Structure formats: structure tokens, C-alpha cells
Amino acid sequence: MKFNNYLGLVAAGSLAFLASCGHKGAPTATNPGKASSTTGIEYNTDEGMKVASFKKIPTGPGLVYIEGGRTVLGSAEEDVTNNHDNMERTVTIASFYMDEAEVANIHWLEYLHFLRKDSSEEKYRAALPDTTVWARDLSFNDPYVTYYLRYPGFRYYPVVGVNWLQADSYCAWRTAKVNENLAKSNSGNSKGGGLFGKKKDKKGDASAASGAEGGGAGALANGKNGPSIENGNTLPNYRLPTEAEWEYAAQALIGTQEVGNENQEEKRIYPWDGRSLRNPYGGKQGQFLANFKRGRGDYAGLAGSLNDGAMITEYIYAYPPNDFGLYNMAGNVNEWVQDVYRPLSFQDVEDLNPFRRNGVGDPADKYDKKGYQSMIDDHVRVYKGGSWRDVAYWLSPGTRRYMAEDSATATIGFRCAMINAGSNK
């Protein structure tokens, strides 16, 4: 009996080993072979389907790779606001890309430049940030109203006065512009069936033959006569990160994880180790790790011994990055995320890539906005991270606030994210 069990274990182990080895020479996304493995019909022939050459997705400008995984989202600090709107729960976040720093004034000015050049005056004016967010009746912030966006000294300070709708439109424009530039830089470099090597028809348009991979009526394209995503040489959409992605990226617990250890034994209150807001190491020991408001009336410290060194916003690379290589995931400016706000999102949304795009399961008519008993509807969006005007409590990744998607302040900016296309990681 024991011998039979032993043989069974050996056989099972052998099968597992063979399965793990995979099929030698099996087709892959980057090497699909010359012919179909199901019909035997050769690709890229008059009869066969057109299959584009594909190596891997190019990395978009400004982005860094965020390796996904299991984590515990939610507030690690005492809930001093007593909202109970971000309770701890275990979720899994797929790998994605995120801007290493906040979108800066110079980036927004570039956006305005191309809108004025390529679009209508109406769209240009709709994209202008609200510079009056700096104006205060009882404070002399007038210079920022005039100079903050356009003066060269503020080029790499985070753009503010941008509402959620404007930030979302910027993401769409950036996608189109980056892919347009990618097409120009790669035109003529690809031979055969790749995106940039397509033959032109007599009208000069790229041919989208019905026999192309995924072609025909169901083929997807980035725009009219634009490159189809089936070719794999265009970038996916730049977009605002989901709240879960943003919070996961801010935690950056990859820096605490031991190789081969399946347990998450460390947790962080802020995007760095420890409970202190100051740098404990090296020549910058004692300096603050983020731009925030230390206390009532204290935005920067004493002259000659400034603590975070910034009365308002700061250079987008001014403080040490977290373990994912992301700058200012705490302080400087709060950041818009995609999610519609609901206080019970933590228990309503799913545990794989959680995201609330609307009020499903928690409809807006439950909240008495007309009677001024609530500010919640399907047009309020979450923002996170804390800002130059916030106390340290809001620097914790698990804290969350919300504001109408068409509103803007001097304390909210944003950064873009992108899916990790063609991967199950």
C-alpha cells in the first residue's frame, strides 16, 4: 500500500514537472510561428490572416513600472475624522505604470500649446487652469495668480487649478500625442506586417485589411483610420489611476518585502518606513520627507532653518522617491484619482483591481444632496495624498477625501497611469 502511494506521488510529481516545463517550441505572443497551430494555414499570405510583428509594449514617456500583488488597503492611522470610509481589506492589484512625478506646469503649457495649434479656441479656453484658486480675500497671494502657471521659475512645479474633468481630458490628449509621436519616430523602421510598416493604399491611408489579426468589423482602432491595437505597437491609454492603484503605489511596500516571503509583515503609515516625518539617514538627516503644513501658521519653518523648505508647492522631484521610484506620493499636492466617491467603497467593490466608476450598489438618490444634507452624487471624485496646505494626517495613503469633478483648488494636481497591456501580472 505504501509502495503504491509512493508510485502515485512519483507519477504526480513527474506530471507536475513536465507541466511546469511547458511545451518546447510552443508558439508565443512574440513568436507566433509561420502558420496557425489550429488550422495549419500560413500567416501573412493571401489566404492567411495578417499577424503583426510584436516584441513588447514600449514604455510610455514619464512612466515607471509598478509591480502588482496582494496588499492590505485602508487607513493605518487613527480615523480622526470618524468617517470610517476606508477600512482595511485585502485586495490584489495588477501591475501597471504610473508617472514618476506629478504633471507640472510646463507639461500643461505644452498641452495648451498644442490645443491652440491643433484645436478650437473653445477647447483651448476650456483647458485653462483656474489661476484664481490662489486668490484669498485675507491673504496676499496675488503674485501666484499671475505668475505660478507661466513664469519659467515655476516650470517644474505641479500644475494646480485643474479640475478632474480637465485632468481626464489631458490624459486623452497625451495618449493621442504620444502615439502620434511614436508613429513618426518609428515610421519606416519596421518591415512587413507591423503597425508602422503597413503599406499605404492609393489614398495614403494605412490599409486595414479584413484579413488582419482581429480584423474585420470587430477590429479595434485608436481613431478613424488610426492604428489598430491588435498590432501591439501603440501605447494603451494614459488615464488617471484608480484609487486602489494610487494607494498601492503610495504604500510602496515592495521595499519592505523579503524575497520568497509570502507574508506582508511590515506596514507603513506614510510612503516611507517608520512613524517619523523626517529623514533618519545620511547628510539629509532631520530634513522633512514631504511638503506639508507642520501646524497652524507653520508652512515652512524658521528662516535659516526651514523644515520642508516650501511655503507653497515645491519642485516635483524635491523629496526622496518611495521604493517604486515615485516622487511626492505624500504632500506637495493632493492628486485626483478616477473613482467616484462613496463612503462604503471599501466593502462594495471587488477584491481584484477594485474601482468604483459610478454608484452601482450605492445609488446617488440615497444621498440627500438637494436637501443639502449631503454632498455626494455621481460627480464627486476622490483625491488623495495630502498637500502643502495639509497637516501630516493626510499624508497617509489610506486617507481619502472628495470634491466635485468640475471644481479646482490650489492644493490638487494629478499624475497619469497606464495598464500593463498583454500581461497577466
Side-chain angles (χ1 to χ4, degrees), residues 347-386:
Q347 69 180 29
D348 292 341
V349 294
E350 298 193 19
D351 59 3
L352 174 63
N353 298 323
F355 169 54
R356 183 181 284 285
R357 70 186 78 241
N358 49 38
V360 169
D362 193 4
D365 57 19
K366 288 176 56 179
Y367 300 90
D368 185 13
K369 189 168 185 180
K370 290 183 178 179
Y372 302 100
Q373 301 302 307
S374 174
M375 297 176 64
I376 297 174
D377 61 15
D378 289 339
H379 300 284
V380 292
R381 303 284 176 167
V382 178
Y383 65 91
K384 296 176 76 71

mmCIF file of all heavy atoms in Angstrom, residues 347-386:
data_model
loop_
_atom_site.group_PDB
_atom_site.id
_atom_site.type_symbol
_atom_site.label_atom_id
_atom_site.label_comp_id
_atom_site.label_asym_id
_atom_site.label_seq_id
_atom_site.Cartn_x
_atom_site.Cartn_y
_atom_site.Cartn_z
ATOM 1 N N GLN A 347 -16.180 48.207 1.059
ATOM 2 C CA GLN A 347 -16.878 46.934 1.213
ATOM 3 C C GLN A 347 -17.704 46.572 -0.027
ATOM 4 O O GLN A 347 -18.109 45.423 -0.188
ATOM 5 C CB GLN A 347 -17.793 46.940 2.441
ATOM 6 C CG GLN A 347 -19.003 47.853 2.347
ATOM 7 C CD GLN A 347 -19.859 47.787 3.615
ATOM 8 O OE1 GLN A 347 -19.345 47.530 4.698
ATOM 9 N NE2 GLN A 347 -21.147 48.026 3.474
ATOM 10 N N ASP A 348 -17.937 47.541 -0.906
ATOM 11 C CA ASP A 348 -18.769 47.283 -2.079
ATOM 12 C C ASP A 348 -17.994 46.760 -3.277
ATOM 13 O O ASP A 348 -18.470 45.895 -3.998
ATOM 14 C CB ASP A 348 -19.506 48.564 -2.499
ATOM 15 C CG ASP A 348 -20.559 48.985 -1.488
ATOM 16 O OD1 ASP A 348 -20.963 48.121 -0.691
ATOM 17 O OD2 ASP A 348 -20.957 50.157 -1.501
ATOM 18 N N VAL A 349 -16.806 47.310 -3.518
ATOM 19 C CA VAL A 349 -16.075 46.972 -4.745
ATOM 20 C C VAL A 349 -15.414 45.609 -4.613
ATOM 21 O O VAL A 349 -15.327 45.035 -3.527
ATOM 22 C CB VAL A 349 -15.026 48.049 -5.084
ATOM 23 C CG1 VAL A 349 -15.708 49.359 -5.424
ATOM 24 C CG2 VAL A 349 -14.047 48.253 -3.939
ATOM 25 N N GLU A 350 -14.943 45.081 -5.743
ATOM 26 C CA GLU A 350 -14.356 43.748 -5.750
ATOM 27 C C GLU A 350 -12.948 43.760 -5.164
ATOM 28 O O GLU A 350 -12.355 44.820 -4.949
ATOM 29 C CB GLU A 350 -14.363 43.207 -7.177
ATOM 30 C CG GLU A 350 -15.769 43.051 -7.749
ATOM 31 C CD GLU A 350 -15.783 42.222 -9.015
ATOM 32 O OE1 GLU A 350 -14.817 41.484 -9.256
ATOM 33 O OE2 GLU A 350 -16.773 42.313 -9.762
ATOM 34 N N ASP A 351 -12.416 42.548 -4.940
ATOM 35 C CA ASP A 351 -11.097 42.467 -4.309
ATOM 36 C C ASP A 351 -9.961 42.253 -5.313
ATOM 37 O O ASP A 351 -8.812 42.092 -4.923
ATOM 38 C CB ASP A 351 -11.072 41.377 -3.234
ATOM 39 C CG ASP A 351 -11.419 39.995 -3.770
ATOM 40 O OD1 ASP A 351 -11.635 39.863 -4.998
ATOM 41 O OD2 ASP A 351 -11.475 39.043 -2.976
ATOM 42 N N LEU A 352 -10.265 42.251 -6.613
ATOM 43 C CA LEU A 352 -9.246 42.251 -7.666
ATOM 44 C C LEU A 352 -9.408 43.536 -8.457
ATOM 45 O O LEU A 352 -10.456 43.784 -9.062
ATOM 46 C CB LEU A 352 -9.405 41.038 -8.589
ATOM 47 C CG LEU A 352 -8.486 41.014 -9.826
ATOM 48 C CD1 LEU A 352 -7.020 40.958 -9.403
ATOM 49 C CD2 LEU A 352 -8.828 39.849 -10.743
ATOM 50 N N ASN A 353 -8.392 44.375 -8.422
ATOM 51 C CA ASN A 353 -8.420 45.680 -9.088
ATOM 52 C C ASN A 353 -9.677 46.479 -8.721
ATOM 53 O O ASN A 353 -10.458 46.867 -9.594
ATOM 54 C CB ASN A 353 -8.336 45.507 -10.608
ATOM 55 C CG ASN A 353 -7.062 44.854 -11.053
ATOM 56 O OD1 ASN A 353 -5.999 45.103 -10.493
ATOM 57 N ND2 ASN A 353 -7.152 44.002 -12.068
ATOM 58 N N PRO A 354 -9.921 46.717 -7.436
ATOM 59 C CA PRO A 354 -11.135 47.431 -7.034
ATOM 60 C C PRO A 354 -11.206 48.826 -7.635
ATOM 61 O O PRO A 354 -10.202 49.538 -7.731
ATOM 62 C CB PRO A 354 -11.012 47.490 -5.504
ATOM 63 C CG PRO A 354 -9.565 47.288 -5.210
ATOM 64 C CD PRO A 354 -9.038 46.405 -6.296
ATOM 65 N N PHE A 355 -12.411 49.205 -8.037
ATOM 66 C CA PHE A 355 -12.611 50.504 -8.686
ATOM 67 C C PHE A 355 -14.104 50.822 -8.691
ATOM 68 O O PHE A 355 -14.924 49.975 -9.019
ATOM 69 C CB PHE A 355 -12.073 50.466 -10.116
ATOM 70 C CG PHE A 355 -12.449 51.652 -10.965
ATOM 71 C CD1 PHE A 355 -12.179 52.940 -10.541
ATOM 72 C CD2 PHE A 355 -13.078 51.479 -12.195
ATOM 73 C CE1 PHE A 355 -12.532 54.042 -11.325
ATOM 74 C CE2 PHE A 355 -13.419 52.562 -12.982
ATOM 75 C CZ PHE A 355 -13.153 53.847 -12.552
ATOM 76 N N ARG A 356 -14.450 52.041 -8.315
ATOM 77 C CA ARG A 356 -15.849 52.469 -8.396
ATOM 78 C C ARG A 356 -15.977 53.534 -9.474
ATOM 79 O O ARG A 356 -15.473 54.648 -9.333
ATOM 80 C CB ARG A 356 -16.333 53.029 -7.061
ATOM 81 C CG ARG A 356 -17.816 53.426 -7.099
ATOM 82 C CD ARG A 356 -18.307 54.007 -5.792
ATOM 83 N NE ARG A 356 -18.533 53.011 -4.776
ATOM 84 C CZ ARG A 356 -19.573 52.175 -4.733
ATOM 85 N NH1 ARG A 356 -20.469 52.201 -5.689
ATOM 86 N NH2 ARG A 356 -19.695 51.317 -3.746
ATOM 87 N N ARG A 357 -16.669 53.168 -10.553
ATOM 88 C CA ARG A 357 -16.849 54.114 -11.653
ATOM 89 C C ARG A 357 -18.173 54.873 -11.545
ATOM 90 O O ARG A 357 -18.392 55.858 -12.233
ATOM 91 C CB ARG A 357 -16.767 53.377 -12.998
ATOM 92 C CG ARG A 357 -17.925 52.484 -13.295
ATOM 93 C CD ARG A 357 -17.730 51.665 -14.560
ATOM 94 N NE ARG A 357 -16.856 50.528 -14.359
ATOM 95 C CZ ARG A 357 -15.705 50.364 -15.012
ATOM 96 N NH1 ARG A 357 -15.287 51.265 -15.877
ATOM 97 N NH2 ARG A 357 -14.962 49.294 -14.787
ATOM 98 N N ASN A 358 -19.090 54.382 -10.719
ATOM 99 C CA ASN A 358 -20.392 55.020 -10.561
ATOM 100 C C ASN A 358 -21.009 54.543 -9.244
ATOM 101 O O ASN A 358 -20.340 53.915 -8.437
ATOM 102 C CB ASN A 358 -21.302 54.689 -11.749
ATOM 103 C CG ASN A 358 -21.324 53.200 -12.061
ATOM 104 O OD1 ASN A 358 -21.297 52.370 -11.154
ATOM 105 N ND2 ASN A 358 -21.352 52.856 -13.336
ATOM 106 N N GLY A 359 -22.278 54.808 -9.070
ATOM 107 C CA GLY A 359 -22.922 54.490 -7.803
ATOM 108 C C GLY A 359 -23.587 53.135 -7.751
ATOM 109 O O GLY A 359 -24.527 52.947 -6.961
ATOM 110 N N VAL A 360 -23.139 52.181 -8.561
ATOM 111 C CA VAL A 360 -23.737 50.846 -8.543
ATOM 112 C C VAL A 360 -23.674 50.257 -7.133
ATOM 113 O O VAL A 360 -22.621 50.232 -6.498
ATOM 114 C CB VAL A 360 -23.015 49.906 -9.537
ATOM 115 C CG1 VAL A 360 -23.462 48.462 -9.332
ATOM 116 C CG2 VAL A 360 -23.286 50.334 -10.967
ATOM 117 N N GLY A 361 -24.829 49.792 -6.646
ATOM 118 C CA GLY A 361 -24.882 49.230 -5.303
ATOM 119 C C GLY A 361 -25.030 50.270 -4.206
ATOM 120 O O GLY A 361 -25.336 49.942 -3.064
ATOM 121 N N ASP A 362 -24.819 51.520 -4.568
ATOM 122 C CA ASP A 362 -24.932 52.614 -3.597
ATOM 123 C C ASP A 362 -25.359 53.863 -4.371
ATOM 124 O O ASP A 362 -24.592 54.819 -4.514
ATOM 125 C CB ASP A 362 -23.589 52.827 -2.901
ATOM 126 C CG ASP A 362 -23.709 53.713 -1.664
ATOM 127 O OD1 ASP A 362 -24.840 54.091 -1.318
ATOM 128 O OD2 ASP A 362 -22.669 54.028 -1.056
ATOM 129 N N PRO A 363 -26.585 53.870 -4.888
ATOM 130 C CA PRO A 363 -27.014 54.925 -5.821
ATOM 131 C C PRO A 363 -27.039 56.307 -5.187
ATOM 132 O O PRO A 363 -27.208 56.466 -3.967
ATOM 133 C CB PRO A 363 -28.424 54.475 -6.231
ATOM 134 C CG PRO A 363 -28.881 53.578 -5.121
ATOM 135 C CD PRO A 363 -27.650 52.894 -4.619
ATOM 136 N N ALA A 364 -26.877 57.302 -6.056
ATOM 137 C CA ALA A 364 -26.798 58.686 -5.590
ATOM 138 C C ALA A 364 -28.087 59.158 -4.934
ATOM 139 O O ALA A 364 -28.056 60.054 -4.076
ATOM 140 C CB ALA A 364 -26.444 59.597 -6.768
ATOM 141 N N ASP A 365 -29.239 58.565 -5.307
ATOM 142 C CA ASP A 365 -30.502 59.040 -4.739
ATOM 143 C C ASP A 365 -30.661 58.683 -3.257
ATOM 144 O O ASP A 365 -31.603 59.116 -2.601
ATOM 145 C CB ASP A 365 -31.698 58.546 -5.552
ATOM 146 C CG ASP A 365 -31.764 57.026 -5.676
ATOM 147 O OD1 ASP A 365 -31.120 56.334 -4.862
ATOM 148 O OD2 ASP A 365 -32.456 56.526 -6.591
ATOM 149 N N LYS A 366 -29.729 57.879 -2.728
ATOM 150 C CA LYS A 366 -29.724 57.599 -1.293
ATOM 151 C C LYS A 366 -29.199 58.784 -0.485
ATOM 152 O O LYS A 366 -29.369 58.846 0.724
ATOM 153 C CB LYS A 366 -28.859 56.371 -0.988
ATOM 154 C CG LYS A 366 -29.452 55.049 -1.416
ATOM 155 C CD LYS A 366 -28.487 53.910 -1.163
ATOM 156 C CE LYS A 366 -28.038 53.839 0.282
ATOM 157 N NZ LYS A 366 -27.115 52.699 0.517
ATOM 158 N N TYR A 367 -28.516 59.703 -1.181
ATOM 159 C CA TYR A 367 -27.891 60.841 -0.511
ATOM 160 C C TYR A 367 -28.683 62.110 -0.816
ATOM 161 O O TYR A 367 -28.947 62.425 -1.983
ATOM 162 C CB TYR A 367 -26.439 60.982 -0.971
ATOM 163 C CG TYR A 367 -25.614 59.752 -0.670
ATOM 164 C CD1 TYR A 367 -25.522 58.709 -1.586
ATOM 165 C CD2 TYR A 367 -24.946 59.615 0.540
ATOM 166 C CE1 TYR A 367 -24.769 57.563 -1.301
ATOM 167 C CE2 TYR A 367 -24.202 58.486 0.831
ATOM 168 C CZ TYR A 367 -24.122 57.466 -0.100
ATOM 169 O OH TYR A 367 -23.395 56.339 0.187
ATOM 170 N N ASP A 368 -29.062 62.817 0.204
ATOM 171 C CA ASP A 368 -29.934 63.983 0.061
ATOM 172 C C ASP A 368 -29.126 65.223 -0.273
ATOM 173 O O ASP A 368 -28.884 66.091 0.581
ATOM 174 C CB ASP A 368 -30.729 64.186 1.363
ATOM 175 C CG ASP A 368 -31.754 65.309 1.234
ATOM 176 O OD1 ASP A 368 -32.009 65.743 0.093
ATOM 177 O OD2 ASP A 368 -32.277 65.753 2.275
ATOM 178 N N LYS A 369 -28.709 65.310 -1.541
ATOM 179 C CA LYS A 369 -27.941 66.474 -1.956
ATOM 180 C C LYS A 369 -28.854 67.682 -2.185
ATOM 181 O O LYS A 369 -28.487 68.811 -1.877
ATOM 182 C CB LYS A 369 -27.149 66.163 -3.231
ATOM 183 C CG LYS A 369 -26.152 67.253 -3.593
ATOM 184 C CD LYS A 369 -25.185 66.828 -4.662
ATOM 185 C CE LYS A 369 -24.138 67.897 -4.898
ATOM 186 N NZ LYS A 369 -23.147 67.528 -5.940
ATOM 187 N N LYS A 370 -30.039 67.435 -2.706
ATOM 188 C CA LYS A 370 -30.966 68.540 -2.954
ATOM 189 C C LYS A 370 -31.389 69.212 -1.656
ATOM 190 O O LYS A 370 -31.615 70.424 -1.613
ATOM 191 C CB LYS A 370 -32.194 68.025 -3.703
ATOM 192 C CG LYS A 370 -31.901 67.615 -5.145
ATOM 193 C CD LYS A 370 -33.170 67.188 -5.869
ATOM 194 C CE LYS A 370 -32.871 66.821 -7.310
ATOM 195 N NZ LYS A 370 -34.095 66.376 -8.039
ATOM 196 N N GLY A 371 -31.489 68.418 -0.613
ATOM 197 C CA GLY A 371 -31.861 68.982 0.674
ATOM 198 C C GLY A 371 -30.672 69.468 1.476
ATOM 199 O O GLY A 371 -30.807 69.781 2.668
ATOM 200 N N TYR A 372 -29.495 69.499 0.844
ATOM 201 C CA TYR A 372 -28.263 69.992 1.464
ATOM 202 C C TYR A 372 -27.854 69.194 2.701
ATOM 203 O O TYR A 372 -27.193 69.713 3.601
ATOM 204 C CB TYR A 372 -28.388 71.490 1.826
ATOM 205 C CG TYR A 372 -28.707 72.355 0.643
ATOM 206 C CD1 TYR A 372 -30.004 72.796 0.405
ATOM 207 C CD2 TYR A 372 -27.703 72.713 -0.267
ATOM 208 C CE1 TYR A 372 -30.312 73.571 -0.704
ATOM 209 C CE2 TYR A 372 -27.997 73.501 -1.375
ATOM 210 C CZ TYR A 372 -29.301 73.928 -1.597
ATOM 211 O OH TYR A 372 -29.587 74.689 -2.695
ATOM 212 N N GLN A 373 -28.255 67.903 2.720
ATOM 213 C CA GLN A 373 -27.847 67.026 3.808
ATOM 214 C C GLN A 373 -26.624 66.193 3.439
ATOM 215 O O GLN A 373 -26.072 65.473 4.268
ATOM 216 C CB GLN A 373 -28.999 66.099 4.195
ATOM 217 C CG GLN A 373 -30.255 66.819 4.646
ATOM 218 C CD GLN A 373 -29.982 67.724 5.840
ATOM 219 O OE1 GLN A 373 -29.432 67.293 6.841
ATOM 220 N NE2 GLN A 373 -30.356 68.992 5.723
ATOM 221 N N SER A 374 -26.224 66.267 2.179
ATOM 222 C CA SER A 374 -25.067 65.519 1.703
ATOM 223 C C SER A 374 -24.462 66.219 0.494
ATOM 224 O O SER A 374 -25.158 66.985 -0.204
ATOM 225 C CB SER A 374 -25.489 64.083 1.308
ATOM 226 O OG SER A 374 -24.413 63.388 0.725
ATOM 227 N N MET A 375 -23.181 65.962 0.251
ATOM 228 C CA MET A 375 -22.513 66.491 -0.939
ATOM 229 C C MET A 375 -22.228 65.385 -1.950
ATOM 230 O O MET A 375 -21.568 65.611 -2.952
ATOM 231 C CB MET A 375 -21.193 67.164 -0.538
ATOM 232 C CG MET A 375 -21.356 68.359 0.379
ATOM 233 S SD MET A 375 -19.769 69.048 0.900
ATOM 234 C CE MET A 375 -19.115 69.592 -0.680
ATOM 235 N N ILE A 376 -22.726 64.197 -1.695
ATOM 236 C CA ILE A 376 -22.371 63.032 -2.504
ATOM 237 C C ILE A 376 -23.345 62.829 -3.658
ATOM 238 O O ILE A 376 -24.568 62.828 -3.466
ATOM 239 C CB ILE A 376 -22.324 61.764 -1.631
ATOM 240 C CG1 ILE A 376 -21.241 61.895 -0.563
ATOM 241 C CG2 ILE A 376 -22.084 60.519 -2.477
ATOM 242 C CD1 ILE A 376 -21.214 60.764 0.442
ATOM 243 N N ASP A 377 -22.785 62.665 -4.869
ATOM 244 C CA ASP A 377 -23.537 62.211 -6.035
ATOM 245 C C ASP A 377 -22.552 61.516 -6.963
ATOM 246 O O ASP A 377 -21.444 61.173 -6.540
ATOM 247 C CB ASP A 377 -24.267 63.373 -6.728
ATOM 248 C CG ASP A 377 -23.322 64.455 -7.251
ATOM 249 O OD1 ASP A 377 -22.095 64.204 -7.342
ATOM 250 O OD2 ASP A 377 -23.802 65.563 -7.566
ATOM 251 N N ASP A 378 -22.947 61.279 -8.206
ATOM 252 C CA ASP A 378 -22.069 60.564 -9.132
ATOM 253 C C ASP A 378 -21.048 61.468 -9.806
ATOM 254 O O ASP A 378 -20.367 61.051 -10.749
ATOM 255 C CB ASP A 378 -22.904 59.837 -10.197
ATOM 256 C CG ASP A 378 -23.653 58.646 -9.628
ATOM 257 O OD1 ASP A 378 -23.235 58.147 -8.563
ATOM 258 O OD2 ASP A 378 -24.651 58.215 -10.236
ATOM 259 N N HIS A 379 -20.930 62.701 -9.344
ATOM 260 C CA HIS A 379 -19.985 63.649 -9.938
ATOM 261 C C HIS A 379 -19.014 64.195 -8.905
ATOM 262 O O HIS A 379 -18.440 65.275 -9.095
ATOM 263 C CB HIS A 379 -20.747 64.791 -10.624
ATOM 264 C CG HIS A 379 -21.662 64.325 -11.714
ATOM 265 N ND1 HIS A 379 -21.202 63.940 -12.952
ATOM 266 C CD2 HIS A 379 -23.006 64.147 -11.719
ATOM 267 C CE1 HIS A 379 -22.220 63.561 -13.697
ATOM 268 N NE2 HIS A 379 -23.327 63.674 -12.978
ATOM 269 N N VAL A 380 -18.819 63.467 -7.828
ATOM 270 C CA VAL A 380 -17.760 63.816 -6.879
ATOM 271 C C VAL A 380 -16.672 62.748 -6.975
ATOM 272 O O VAL A 380 -16.963 61.554 -7.051
ATOM 273 C CB VAL A 380 -18.283 63.936 -5.430
ATOM 274 C CG1 VAL A 380 -19.191 65.141 -5.295
ATOM 275 C CG2 VAL A 380 -19.006 62.680 -4.981
ATOM 276 N N ARG A 381 -15.424 63.174 -7.014
ATOM 277 C CA ARG A 381 -14.293 62.276 -7.241
ATOM 278 C C ARG A 381 -13.339 62.294 -6.047
ATOM 279 O O ARG A 381 -13.207 63.303 -5.341
ATOM 280 C CB ARG A 381 -13.531 62.688 -8.497
ATOM 281 C CG ARG A 381 -14.386 62.736 -9.752
ATOM 282 C CD ARG A 381 -14.691 61.363 -10.286
ATOM 283 N NE ARG A 381 -15.586 61.420 -11.446
ATOM 284 C CZ ARG A 381 -15.821 60.392 -12.255
ATOM 285 N NH1 ARG A 381 -15.238 59.223 -12.031
ATOM 286 N NH2 ARG A 381 -16.644 60.533 -13.276
ATOM 287 N N VAL A 382 -12.657 61.193 -5.880
ATOM 288 C CA VAL A 382 -11.722 61.046 -4.767
ATOM 289 C C VAL A 382 -10.403 61.745 -5.092
ATOM 290 O O VAL A 382 -9.941 61.720 -6.229
ATOM 291 C CB VAL A 382 -11.471 59.554 -4.485
ATOM 292 C CG1 VAL A 382 -10.446 59.387 -3.349
ATOM 293 C CG2 VAL A 382 -12.780 58.845 -4.135
ATOM 294 N N TYR A 383 -9.813 62.365 -4.092
ATOM 295 C CA TYR A 383 -8.432 62.826 -4.216
ATOM 296 C C TYR A 383 -7.666 62.403 -2.971
ATOM 297 O O TYR A 383 -8.232 62.250 -1.894
ATOM 298 C CB TYR A 383 -8.345 64.341 -4.455
ATOM 299 C CG TYR A 383 -8.837 65.234 -3.345
ATOM 300 C CD1 TYR A 383 -7.971 65.685 -2.350
ATOM 301 C CD2 TYR A 383 -10.162 65.663 -3.304
ATOM 302 C CE1 TYR A 383 -8.411 66.537 -1.346
ATOM 303 C CE2 TYR A 383 -10.621 66.516 -2.296
ATOM 304 C CZ TYR A 383 -9.743 66.945 -1.324
ATOM 305 O OH TYR A 383 -10.173 67.790 -0.317
ATOM 306 N N LYS A 384 -6.347 62.194 -3.143
ATOM 307 C CA LYS A 384 -5.540 61.575 -2.081
ATOM 308 C C LYS A 384 -4.148 62.192 -2.007
ATOM 309 O O LYS A 384 -3.694 62.838 -2.948
ATOM 310 C CB LYS A 384 -5.411 60.061 -2.354
ATOM 311 C CG LYS A 384 -6.741 59.319 -2.307
ATOM 312 C CD LYS A 384 -6.569 57.852 -2.691
ATOM 313 C CE LYS A 384 -5.949 57.035 -1.588
ATOM 314 N NZ LYS A 384 -6.865 56.826 -0.457
ATOM 315 N N GLY A 385 -3.485 61.971 -0.878
ATOM 316 C CA GLY A 385 -2.061 62.251 -0.797
ATOM 317 C C GLY A 385 -1.614 63.383 0.098
ATOM 318 O O GLY A 385 -0.459 63.458 0.462
ATOM 319 N N GLY A 386 -2.507 64.319 0.419
ATOM 320 C CA GLY A 386 -2.071 65.466 1.210
ATOM 321 C C GLY A 386 -1.368 66.509 0.365
ATOM 322 O O GLY A 386 -0.886 66.226 -0.732
#
